[in-house]
Every structure is written in C-alpha cells, then in structure tokens.
Amino acid sequence: EVQLVESGGGLVQPGGSLRLSCAASGFTFSSYWMSWVRQAPGKGLEWVANIKQNGGQKYYVDSVKGRFTISRDNAKNSLYLQMDSLRVEDTAVYFCARESLSTSCYDYWGQGALVTVSS
Amino acid sequence: SFKLTQPPSVSVSPGQTASITCSTDRLDDRYASWYQQRPGQSPLLVIYQDSKRPSGIPERFSGSNSGNTATLTITGTQTMDEADYYCQAWDTTFWVFGGGTKLTVL
C-alpha cells in the first residue's frame, strides 16, 4: 500500500525556518517525481515545488523561489522541504504528493502538515 | 504561465447530473486531471488524462476536454459527492490548479 506521511509542521515566527519531511512507503520512491502542494486556510490548492527522481531537476512556484528548497534522500525514501524566511502568507497545510508516471497527475497524497507563520 | 478558471460553486439535486467546468486558453494542448477534496481530507484523484478513472472511482464520474474547456461530470450525483473539486494541468515546468468548485448536493 502506498503511503506518504508528512511531519515537521508547527508554529514559527515570520522570518523563521522550518523543515518538512515526507516518508514514503509501498512503492519504489526513486522512480517517481515528487511534489509539495499547499493549501492556505479556506483556500484552494497551490503547487509549491517538485523534484525529479534523482534530484537533478527542481522547480518552484515564483512566490517561494530563493526561500524554499526541495530535496530528497532516495536511500531513506524521504522527501523534504526546507522553508526559510517564512512569511505569514506561507501559512498552509503542506501536502506531499506522488506524480504518476506518464499520466500528468498526482495519484497519491499524504495527509498534510500544518505550518503556521505568526508572531 | 496560464490560469485555470472554475466556477466557485455548483448545486445539484440528488440523482441529477452535475457538471463542473475548467477553462483556459489552449487547454486541449494539455491533459486535465480532477481531484475531489472533502473537508479535512487530502485530495483524491477522480479523473486523469481528461477522461480516465483511477481504480476504485465510481463510473458516475466522467471527464472530457475540448477546445479550451475541460469538464467533470457526475451522473446520478449522490450526497457523498458533496465536496470541493479541483482541476489541474501541467505546463512545461510547473503544475497549475484551478481555484476549486464547491459542489453542493441538496
């Protein structure tokens, strides 16, 4: 059974940092692109970043470029999101999601981790 | 980049057909996917590659993509289908989601 389990969320002050983790199981993690998608309270879904199977390609939404870093450790079946210089508007539930091979969609999602940026 | 536009809300009576649209320019150059999200839950893929259903998704869910509009259709809508629905498409190096449509079944 495919499972994606996020951790590392919490309350942080503006300007602070936080690192999210996503533990993957039930599939060959190293074979898939992976993404982070966020959802601000009461709002819609927003793609944040994604990373290629070997970590060699990474893409970000403009609003987080230079502040967030996506990475992965295939030996540990884990995906990460390092979030620096956090802003109030980064407050959201962050989901890790698996990009389906060759079908242009997300076929599995984690349960989400809440990040609250507030003073 | 491009934007995907969905109606904020759609209402339907139980047993009737609900249609949710997702529009932009040149959408038929790209595959559209659809996700269902119930309150407090993660999104669930219900349609991919415009019209394909993942295993376990009921046959009453169907999709189409023509011109600049993708459409999610729920035939014989049930109360359990009440949720937010999001369309999604891929644009070279990034993913785009529509703003979401709240489907109310009443």
Side-chain angles (χ1 to χ4, degrees):
Chain A
E1 178 192 6
V2 172
Q3 285 198 316
L4 299 169
V5 180
E6 299 94 336
S7 60
L11 174 64
V12 61
Q13 293 188 337
S17 297
L18 210 57
R19 189 197 196 203
L20 300 181
S21 298
C22 171
S25 61
F27 66 102
T28 304
F29 180 71
S30 59
S31 295
Y32 290 83
W33 281 77
M34 297 294 296
S35 279
W36 289 99
V37 176
R38 68 183 177 183
Q39 186 170 36
K43 303 296 184 181
L45 300 172
E46 179 185 37
W47 170 76
V48 174
N50 66 346
I51 185 168
K52 193 177 179 179
Q53 291 93 329
N54 63 3
Q57 292 181 47
K58 305 174 185 182
Y59 300 102
Y60 300 90
V61 68
D62 284 348
S63 59
V64 308
K65 283 179 182 176
R67 301 188 299 120
F68 289 13
T69 303
I70 189 172
S71 63
R72 64 192 297 163
D73 185 336
N74 288 340
K76 295 182 177 179
N77 292 332
S78 292
L79 176 72
Y80 306 102
L81 186 67
Q82 176 66 42
M83 303 183 291
D84 299 321
S85 302
L86 281 160
R87 305 169 179 168
V88 171
E89 55 265 34
D90 295 318
T91 294
V93 173
Y94 286 73
F95 297 99
C96 122
R98 187 180 88 166
E99 299 184 19
S100 175
L101 295 173
S102 304
T103 57
S104 304
C105 66
Y106 294 123
D107 56 359
Y108 288 94
W109 297 68
Q111 86 287 351
L114 176 62
V115 172
T116 303
V117 185
S118 173
S119 55
Chain B
S1 65
F2 66 96
K3 183 178 179 181
L4 296 174
T5 301
Q6 299 180 234
S9 62
V10 168
S11 296
V12 64
S13 300
Q16 298 304 301
T17 297
S19 294
I20 300 173
T21 57
C22 173
S23 61
T24 189
D25 58 322
R26 293 173 42 236
L27 185 59
D28 60 353
D29 287 355
R30 324 167 198 276
Y31 280 127
S33 303
W34 290 91
Y35 301 87
Q36 176 194 71
Q37 188 181 34
R38 295 191 175 106
Q41 295 187 12
S42 304
L44 173 70
L45 178 68
V46 294
I47 292 290
Y48 67 98
Q49 287 186 335
D50 297 337
S51 59
K52 297 179 181 179
R53 274 181 296 105
S55 174
I57 299 302
E59 290 184 8
R60 64 179 181 273
F61 288 87
S62 63
S64 63
N65 186 356
S66 179
N68 62 358
T69 302
T71 303
L72 173 69
T73 302
I74 309 173
T75 305
T77 308
Q78 300 184 8
T79 54
M80 66 186 299
D81 299 329
E82 187 163 286
D84 294 326
Y85 290 85
Y86 295 90
C87 61
Q88 178 203 41
W90 168 249
D91 184 21
T92 59
T93 60
F94 58 90
W95 295 94
V96 179
F97 287 96
T101 298
K102 180 176 182 58
L103 177 66
T104 301
V105 183
L106 47 67

Short mmCIF file of all heavy atoms in Angstrom, two decimals, chain A residues 33 35 37 39 43-47 50 59-60 95 99 102-107 109-112, chain B residues 31-33 35 37 41-45 47-49 86 88 90 92-99:
data_model
loop_
_atom_site.label_atom_id
_atom_site.label_comp_id
_atom_site.label_asym_id
_atom_site.label_seq_id
_atom_site.Cartn_x
_atom_site.Cartn_y
_atom_site.Cartn_z
N TRP A 33 8.89 11.32 -9.77
CA TRP A 33 8.92 12.73 -9.41
C TRP A 33 8.02 12.88 -8.18
O TRP A 33 7.01 12.20 -8.04
CB TRP A 33 8.33 13.58 -10.53
CG TRP A 33 9.22 13.87 -11.69
CD1 TRP A 33 9.54 13.01 -12.71
CD2 TRP A 33 9.87 15.11 -11.99
NE1 TRP A 33 10.35 13.65 -13.63
CE2 TRP A 33 10.56 14.94 -13.22
CE3 TRP A 33 9.92 16.36 -11.36
CZ2 TRP A 33 11.31 15.97 -13.80
CZ3 TRP A 33 10.65 17.38 -11.95
CH2 TRP A 33 11.34 17.18 -13.16
N SER A 35 6.24 16.00 -5.40
CA SER A 35 5.88 17.41 -5.27
C SER A 35 5.45 17.76 -3.85
O SER A 35 5.06 16.89 -3.07
CB SER A 35 4.69 17.73 -6.18
OG SER A 35 5.04 17.95 -7.51
N VAL A 37 2.58 20.41 -2.35
CA VAL A 37 1.41 21.23 -2.70
C VAL A 37 0.86 21.79 -1.39
O VAL A 37 0.81 21.07 -0.38
CB VAL A 37 0.33 20.38 -3.40
CG1 VAL A 37 -0.91 21.23 -3.68
CG2 VAL A 37 0.88 19.79 -4.70
N GLN A 39 -2.09 24.34 0.85
CA GLN A 39 -3.46 24.85 0.87
C GLN A 39 -3.62 25.78 2.06
O GLN A 39 -3.62 25.32 3.21
CB GLN A 39 -4.45 23.69 0.94
CG GLN A 39 -5.90 24.11 0.82
CD GLN A 39 -6.81 22.90 0.66
OE1 GLN A 39 -6.59 21.85 1.25
NE2 GLN A 39 -7.86 23.05 -0.17
N LYS A 43 -8.69 28.10 1.48
CA LYS A 43 -8.34 28.42 0.10
C LYS A 43 -8.11 27.16 -0.73
O LYS A 43 -8.27 26.05 -0.25
CB LYS A 43 -7.06 29.29 0.08
CG LYS A 43 -7.18 30.57 0.87
CD LYS A 43 -8.24 31.50 0.30
CE LYS A 43 -8.27 32.82 1.06
NZ LYS A 43 -9.33 33.73 0.53
N GLY A 44 -7.73 27.36 -1.98
CA GLY A 44 -7.53 26.26 -2.89
C GLY A 44 -6.12 25.67 -2.84
O GLY A 44 -5.29 26.09 -2.03
N LEU A 45 -5.88 24.72 -3.72
CA LEU A 45 -4.59 24.05 -3.78
C LEU A 45 -3.60 24.89 -4.59
O LEU A 45 -3.96 25.49 -5.60
CB LEU A 45 -4.75 22.67 -4.44
CG LEU A 45 -5.69 21.71 -3.75
CD1 LEU A 45 -5.91 20.48 -4.62
CD2 LEU A 45 -5.16 21.30 -2.39
N GLU A 46 -2.36 24.88 -4.15
CA GLU A 46 -1.29 25.60 -4.85
C GLU A 46 -0.06 24.72 -4.91
O GLU A 46 0.48 24.33 -3.87
CB GLU A 46 -0.96 26.93 -4.16
CG GLU A 46 0.16 27.69 -4.87
CD GLU A 46 0.59 28.95 -4.13
OE1 GLU A 46 0.63 28.95 -2.89
OE2 GLU A 46 0.93 29.93 -4.82
N TRP A 47 0.41 24.43 -6.11
CA TRP A 47 1.66 23.70 -6.27
C TRP A 47 2.82 24.57 -5.76
O TRP A 47 2.87 25.76 -6.06
CB TRP A 47 1.86 23.34 -7.74
CG TRP A 47 3.21 22.79 -8.05
CD1 TRP A 47 3.69 21.53 -7.78
CD2 TRP A 47 4.30 23.50 -8.66
NE1 TRP A 47 4.99 21.42 -8.20
CE2 TRP A 47 5.38 22.61 -8.76
CE3 TRP A 47 4.45 24.79 -9.16
CZ2 TRP A 47 6.61 22.97 -9.32
CZ3 TRP A 47 5.66 25.16 -9.73
CH2 TRP A 47 6.73 24.25 -9.80
N ASN A 50 8.57 20.80 -7.13
CA ASN A 50 8.72 19.38 -7.41
C ASN A 50 10.16 19.05 -7.73
O ASN A 50 11.00 19.94 -7.95
CB ASN A 50 7.75 18.89 -8.50
CG ASN A 50 8.02 19.47 -9.87
OD1 ASN A 50 8.75 20.43 -10.02
ND2 ASN A 50 7.39 18.87 -10.89
N TYR A 59 11.86 22.42 -9.48
CA TYR A 59 11.10 23.59 -9.94
C TYR A 59 10.29 24.14 -8.78
O TYR A 59 9.86 23.38 -7.90
CB TYR A 59 10.19 23.22 -11.11
CG TYR A 59 10.94 22.68 -12.30
CD1 TYR A 59 10.99 21.31 -12.57
CD2 TYR A 59 11.64 23.54 -13.14
CE1 TYR A 59 11.69 20.82 -13.65
CE2 TYR A 59 12.35 23.06 -14.23
CZ TYR A 59 12.38 21.69 -14.47
OH TYR A 59 13.09 21.21 -15.54
N TYR A 60 10.09 25.46 -8.81
CA TYR A 60 9.40 26.13 -7.71
C TYR A 60 8.38 27.14 -8.25
O TYR A 60 8.60 27.75 -9.31
CB TYR A 60 10.40 26.90 -6.84
CG TYR A 60 11.48 26.05 -6.22
CD1 TYR A 60 12.69 25.82 -6.87
CD2 TYR A 60 11.30 25.50 -4.95
CE1 TYR A 60 13.68 25.04 -6.29
CE2 TYR A 60 12.30 24.73 -4.35
CZ TYR A 60 13.48 24.51 -5.03
OH TYR A 60 14.46 23.74 -4.45
N PHE A 95 1.05 19.42 1.62
CA PHE A 95 0.89 18.03 1.24
C PHE A 95 2.08 17.58 0.42
O PHE A 95 2.55 18.31 -0.47
CB PHE A 95 -0.36 17.83 0.37
CG PHE A 95 -1.67 18.15 1.02
CD1 PHE A 95 -2.29 19.37 0.81
CD2 PHE A 95 -2.30 17.23 1.85
CE1 PHE A 95 -3.52 19.67 1.39
CE2 PHE A 95 -3.51 17.51 2.44
CZ PHE A 95 -4.12 18.73 2.21
N GLU A 99 3.86 12.13 -8.20
CA GLU A 99 3.47 12.38 -9.58
C GLU A 99 3.41 11.04 -10.32
O GLU A 99 4.39 10.32 -10.39
CB GLU A 99 4.45 13.34 -10.25
CG GLU A 99 4.52 14.69 -9.58
CD GLU A 99 5.42 15.66 -10.31
OE1 GLU A 99 5.72 15.44 -11.50
OE2 GLU A 99 5.82 16.67 -9.69
N SER A 102 3.93 9.18 -16.32
CA SER A 102 3.38 9.31 -17.67
C SER A 102 1.90 9.66 -17.75
O SER A 102 1.32 9.57 -18.81
CB SER A 102 3.60 8.01 -18.47
OG SER A 102 4.95 7.69 -18.49
N THR A 103 1.27 10.05 -16.66
CA THR A 103 -0.15 10.38 -16.75
C THR A 103 -0.48 11.79 -16.27
O THR A 103 -1.63 12.14 -16.12
CB THR A 103 -1.02 9.38 -15.98
OG1 THR A 103 -0.61 9.35 -14.63
CG2 THR A 103 -0.95 8.00 -16.59
N SER A 104 0.55 12.60 -16.04
CA SER A 104 0.35 14.03 -15.74
C SER A 104 -0.66 14.30 -14.64
O SER A 104 -1.60 15.08 -14.79
CB SER A 104 -0.12 14.76 -17.02
OG SER A 104 0.78 14.57 -18.07
N CYS A 105 -0.48 13.63 -13.51
CA CYS A 105 -1.37 13.88 -12.37
C CYS A 105 -0.69 13.40 -11.10
O CYS A 105 0.38 12.81 -11.13
CB CYS A 105 -2.69 13.14 -12.56
SG CYS A 105 -2.57 11.35 -12.51
N TYR A 106 -1.35 13.71 -9.97
CA TYR A 106 -0.89 13.20 -8.67
C TYR A 106 -1.77 12.03 -8.29
O TYR A 106 -2.97 12.20 -8.08
CB TYR A 106 -1.01 14.29 -7.61
CG TYR A 106 -0.10 15.47 -7.81
CD1 TYR A 106 -0.60 16.77 -7.92
CD2 TYR A 106 1.28 15.31 -7.86
CE1 TYR A 106 0.24 17.85 -8.08
CE2 TYR A 106 2.12 16.39 -8.02
CZ TYR A 106 1.60 17.66 -8.13
OH TYR A 106 2.43 18.73 -8.30
N ASP A 107 -1.18 10.84 -8.18
CA ASP A 107 -2.01 9.69 -7.88
C ASP A 107 -2.07 9.35 -6.39
O ASP A 107 -2.98 8.61 -5.98
CB ASP A 107 -1.61 8.47 -8.71
CG ASP A 107 -0.15 8.09 -8.56
OD1 ASP A 107 0.59 8.78 -7.81
OD2 ASP A 107 0.26 7.10 -9.20
N TRP A 109 -1.47 11.17 -2.29
CA TRP A 109 -1.23 12.36 -1.48
C TRP A 109 -1.02 11.93 -0.03
O TRP A 109 -1.61 10.94 0.42
CB TRP A 109 -2.43 13.30 -1.51
CG TRP A 109 -2.77 13.87 -2.85
CD1 TRP A 109 -3.25 13.20 -3.94
CD2 TRP A 109 -2.68 15.25 -3.23
NE1 TRP A 109 -3.46 14.08 -4.98
CE2 TRP A 109 -3.13 15.35 -4.56
CE3 TRP A 109 -2.28 16.41 -2.57
CZ2 TRP A 109 -3.17 16.56 -5.25
CZ3 TRP A 109 -2.33 17.62 -3.25
CH2 TRP A 109 -2.77 17.69 -4.57
N GLY A 110 -0.22 12.69 0.70
CA GLY A 110 -0.13 12.50 2.13
C GLY A 110 -1.29 13.16 2.83
O GLY A 110 -2.16 13.78 2.20
N GLN A 111 -1.29 13.07 4.16
CA GLN A 111 -2.39 13.64 4.94
C GLN A 111 -2.20 15.13 5.23
O GLN A 111 -3.13 15.82 5.63
CB GLN A 111 -2.56 12.88 6.26
CG GLN A 111 -1.67 13.36 7.40
CD GLN A 111 -0.20 12.98 7.24
OE1 GLN A 111 0.17 12.22 6.34
NE2 GLN A 111 0.65 13.53 8.11
N GLY A 112 -0.99 15.62 5.00
CA GLY A 112 -0.72 17.05 5.16
C GLY A 112 -0.09 17.40 6.50
O GLY A 112 -0.29 16.70 7.50
N TYR B 31 -3.24 17.66 -20.84
CA TYR B 31 -4.16 16.77 -20.14
C TYR B 31 -4.70 17.48 -18.90
O TYR B 31 -3.96 18.16 -18.20
CB TYR B 31 -3.45 15.50 -19.70
CG TYR B 31 -3.29 14.47 -20.78
CD1 TYR B 31 -2.04 13.92 -21.05
CD2 TYR B 31 -4.38 14.02 -21.52
CE1 TYR B 31 -1.88 12.95 -22.02
CE2 TYR B 31 -4.23 13.05 -22.50
CZ TYR B 31 -2.98 12.52 -22.75
OH TYR B 31 -2.83 11.56 -23.71
N ALA B 32 -5.98 17.25 -18.61
CA ALA B 32 -6.58 17.78 -17.39
C ALA B 32 -6.84 16.62 -16.43
O ALA B 32 -7.20 15.51 -16.83
CB ALA B 32 -7.89 18.50 -17.70
N SER B 33 -6.63 16.91 -15.15
CA SER B 33 -6.95 15.96 -14.08
C SER B 33 -7.93 16.63 -13.13
O SER B 33 -8.01 17.87 -13.08
CB SER B 33 -5.69 15.57 -13.30
OG SER B 33 -4.71 15.03 -14.15
N TYR B 35 -9.58 16.44 -9.01
CA TYR B 35 -9.43 15.92 -7.65
C TYR B 35 -10.67 16.30 -6.84
O TYR B 35 -11.21 17.39 -6.98
CB TYR B 35 -8.19 16.52 -6.98
CG TYR B 35 -6.92 16.21 -7.73
CD1 TYR B 35 -6.49 17.03 -8.76
CD2 TYR B 35 -6.17 15.07 -7.44
CE1 TYR B 35 -5.35 16.73 -9.48
CE2 TYR B 35 -5.03 14.77 -8.14
CZ TYR B 35 -4.63 15.60 -9.17
OH TYR B 35 -3.50 15.30 -9.88
N GLN B 37 -11.97 16.81 -2.92
CA GLN B 37 -11.47 17.01 -1.57
C GLN B 37 -12.64 17.26 -0.63
O GLN B 37 -13.32 18.28 -0.74
CB GLN B 37 -10.47 18.18 -1.51
CG GLN B 37 -9.80 18.29 -0.14
CD GLN B 37 -8.82 19.44 -0.05
OE1 GLN B 37 -9.03 20.50 -0.67
NE2 GLN B 37 -7.76 19.26 0.70
N GLN B 41 -9.86 16.43 4.57
CA GLN B 41 -9.19 15.29 3.94
C GLN B 41 -8.22 15.76 2.87
O GLN B 41 -8.26 16.89 2.40
CB GLN B 41 -10.21 14.34 3.34
CG GLN B 41 -11.12 13.67 4.36
CD GLN B 41 -12.00 12.61 3.73
OE1 GLN B 41 -11.81 12.18 2.58
NE2 GLN B 41 -12.98 12.16 4.49
N SER B 42 -7.35 14.85 2.47
CA SER B 42 -6.43 15.12 1.36
C SER B 42 -7.19 15.00 0.04
O SER B 42 -8.23 14.33 -0.03
CB SER B 42 -5.30 14.09 1.37
OG SER B 42 -4.63 14.08 2.60
N PRO B 43 -6.69 15.63 -1.01
CA PRO B 43 -7.33 15.47 -2.32
C PRO B 43 -7.26 14.03 -2.80
O PRO B 43 -6.33 13.29 -2.47
CB PRO B 43 -6.47 16.38 -3.22
CG PRO B 43 -5.87 17.38 -2.29
CD PRO B 43 -5.61 16.61 -1.02
N LEU B 44 -8.26 13.65 -3.58
CA LEU B 44 -8.36 12.31 -4.15
C LEU B 44 -8.51 12.44 -5.66
O LEU B 44 -9.40 13.15 -6.15
CB LEU B 44 -9.56 11.58 -3.57
CG LEU B 44 -9.90 10.21 -4.20
CD1 LEU B 44 -8.84 9.19 -3.82
CD2 LEU B 44 -11.29 9.75 -3.76
N LEU B 45 -7.65 11.77 -6.41
CA LEU B 45 -7.73 11.80 -7.87
C LEU B 45 -8.98 11.07 -8.33
O LEU B 45 -9.20 9.91 -7.98
CB LEU B 45 -6.48 11.13 -8.46
CG LEU B 45 -6.38 11.03 -9.97
CD1 LEU B 45 -6.20 12.42 -10.60
CD2 LEU B 45 -5.22 10.11 -10.37
N ILE B 47 -10.26 11.83 -11.86
CA ILE B 47 -10.14 11.75 -13.33
C ILE B 47 -8.72 12.16 -13.70
O ILE B 47 -8.20 13.16 -13.17
CB ILE B 47 -11.14 12.68 -14.05
CG1 ILE B 47 -12.58 12.21 -13.86
CG2 ILE B 47 -10.81 12.77 -15.57
CD1 ILE B 47 -12.94 10.91 -14.58
N TYR B 48 -8.09 11.43 -14.61
CA TYR B 48 -6.79 11.82 -15.14
C TYR B 48 -6.79 11.68 -16.65
O TYR B 48 -7.65 10.99 -17.22
CB TYR B 48 -5.66 11.02 -14.50
CG TYR B 48 -5.65 9.55 -14.85
CD1 TYR B 48 -4.82 9.06 -15.86
CD2 TYR B 48 -6.45 8.64 -14.16
CE1 TYR B 48 -4.79 7.72 -16.18
CE2 TYR B 48 -6.43 7.29 -14.48
CZ TYR B 48 -5.60 6.83 -15.49
OH TYR B 48 -5.58 5.50 -15.81
N GLN B 49 -5.82 12.32 -17.29
CA GLN B 49 -5.75 12.34 -18.76
C GLN B 49 -7.12 12.61 -19.37
O GLN B 49 -7.58 11.87 -20.25
CB GLN B 49 -5.16 11.02 -19.28
CG GLN B 49 -3.67 10.92 -19.01
CD GLN B 49 -3.02 9.69 -19.64
OE1 GLN B 49 -3.67 8.68 -19.89
NE2 GLN B 49 -1.72 9.78 -19.89
N TYR B 86 -11.19 20.17 -7.80
CA TYR B 86 -10.13 20.98 -8.41
C TYR B 86 -9.68 20.36 -9.72
O TYR B 86 -9.44 19.14 -9.78
CB TYR B 86 -8.92 21.08 -7.48
CG TYR B 86 -9.16 21.79 -6.18
CD1 TYR B 86 -9.59 21.09 -5.06
CD2 TYR B 86 -8.98 23.17 -6.07
CE1 TYR B 86 -9.84 21.74 -3.86
CE2 TYR B 86 -9.22 23.84 -4.87
CZ TYR B 86 -9.65 23.11 -3.78
OH TYR B 86 -9.89 23.76 -2.60
N GLN B 88 -6.64 20.38 -12.73
CA GLN B 88 -5.20 20.56 -12.71
C GLN B 88 -4.64 20.27 -14.10
O GLN B 88 -5.16 19.42 -14.82
CB GLN B 88 -4.57 19.60 -11.71
CG GLN B 88 -3.06 19.65 -11.63
CD GLN B 88 -2.50 18.35 -11.08
OE1 GLN B 88 -2.94 17.26 -11.41
NE2 GLN B 88 -1.51 18.46 -10.21
N TRP B 90 -0.62 20.48 -16.44
CA TRP B 90 0.83 20.63 -16.37
C TRP B 90 1.28 21.60 -17.46
O TRP B 90 0.80 21.55 -18.58
CB TRP B 90 1.48 19.26 -16.57
CG TRP B 90 2.96 19.26 -16.81
CD1 TRP B 90 3.61 18.95 -17.97
CD2 TRP B 90 3.97 19.57 -15.85
NE1 TRP B 90 4.96 19.05 -17.78
CE2 TRP B 90 5.22 19.42 -16.50
CE3 TRP B 90 3.95 19.95 -14.52
CZ2 TRP B 90 6.43 19.64 -15.84
CZ3 TRP B 90 5.17 20.16 -13.86
CH2 TRP B 90 6.37 20.01 -14.53
N THR B 92 4.80 22.64 -18.88
CA THR B 92 6.26 22.51 -19.10
C THR B 92 7.03 22.25 -17.82
O THR B 92 7.62 21.20 -17.65
CB THR B 92 6.85 23.72 -19.84
OG1 THR B 92 6.61 24.91 -19.11
CG2 THR B 92 6.23 23.83 -21.21
N THR B 93 7.09 23.23 -16.91
CA THR B 93 7.90 23.01 -15.71
C THR B 93 7.12 23.23 -14.42
O THR B 93 7.73 23.26 -13.34
CB THR B 93 9.13 23.93 -15.71
OG1 THR B 93 8.70 25.28 -15.74
CG2 THR B 93 10.05 23.63 -16.87
N PHE B 94 5.85 23.42 -14.49
CA PHE B 94 5.10 23.61 -13.25
C PHE B 94 3.66 23.15 -13.41
O PHE B 94 3.12 23.04 -14.50
CB PHE B 94 5.15 25.07 -12.79
CG PHE B 94 4.62 26.05 -13.80
CD1 PHE B 94 3.28 26.41 -13.81
CD2 PHE B 94 5.47 26.63 -14.73
CE1 PHE B 94 2.79 27.30 -14.74
CE2 PHE B 94 4.99 27.52 -15.66
CZ PHE B 94 3.65 27.86 -15.67
N TRP B 95 3.06 22.87 -12.26
CA TRP B 95 1.67 22.43 -12.19
C TRP B 95 0.77 23.64 -11.90
O TRP B 95 1.14 24.54 -11.16
CB TRP B 95 1.48 21.42 -11.07
CG TRP B 95 2.22 20.13 -11.25
CD1 TRP B 95 3.46 19.81 -10.77
CD2 TRP B 95 1.76 18.99 -11.97
NE1 TRP B 95 3.78 18.54 -11.15
CE2 TRP B 95 2.76 18.00 -11.88
CE3 TRP B 95 0.57 18.71 -12.66
CZ2 TRP B 95 2.62 16.75 -12.47
CZ3 TRP B 95 0.45 17.45 -13.24
CH2 TRP B 95 1.45 16.49 -13.14
N VAL B 96 -0.43 23.58 -12.47
CA VAL B 96 -1.41 24.62 -12.20
C VAL B 96 -2.71 23.98 -11.74
O VAL B 96 -3.16 22.99 -12.33
CB VAL B 96 -1.69 25.47 -13.47
CG1 VAL B 96 -2.74 26.54 -13.18
CG2 VAL B 96 -0.40 26.12 -13.97
N PHE B 97 -3.29 24.53 -10.68
CA PHE B 97 -4.60 24.10 -10.21
C PHE B 97 -5.64 25.18 -10.50
O PHE B 97 -5.33 26.38 -10.43
CB PHE B 97 -4.58 23.87 -8.69
CG PHE B 97 -3.84 22.64 -8.26
CD1 PHE B 97 -2.51 22.71 -7.86
CD2 PHE B 97 -4.47 21.41 -8.23
CE1 PHE B 97 -1.82 21.59 -7.46
CE2 PHE B 97 -3.80 20.27 -7.82
CZ PHE B 97 -2.47 20.36 -7.43
N GLY B 98 -6.86 24.73 -10.75
CA GLY B 98 -7.96 25.68 -10.79
C GLY B 98 -8.28 26.13 -9.38
O GLY B 98 -7.80 25.56 -8.40
N GLY B 99 -9.11 27.16 -9.27
CA GLY B 99 -9.42 27.73 -7.97
C GLY B 99 -10.34 26.87 -7.11
O GLY B 99 -10.51 27.14 -5.92
#
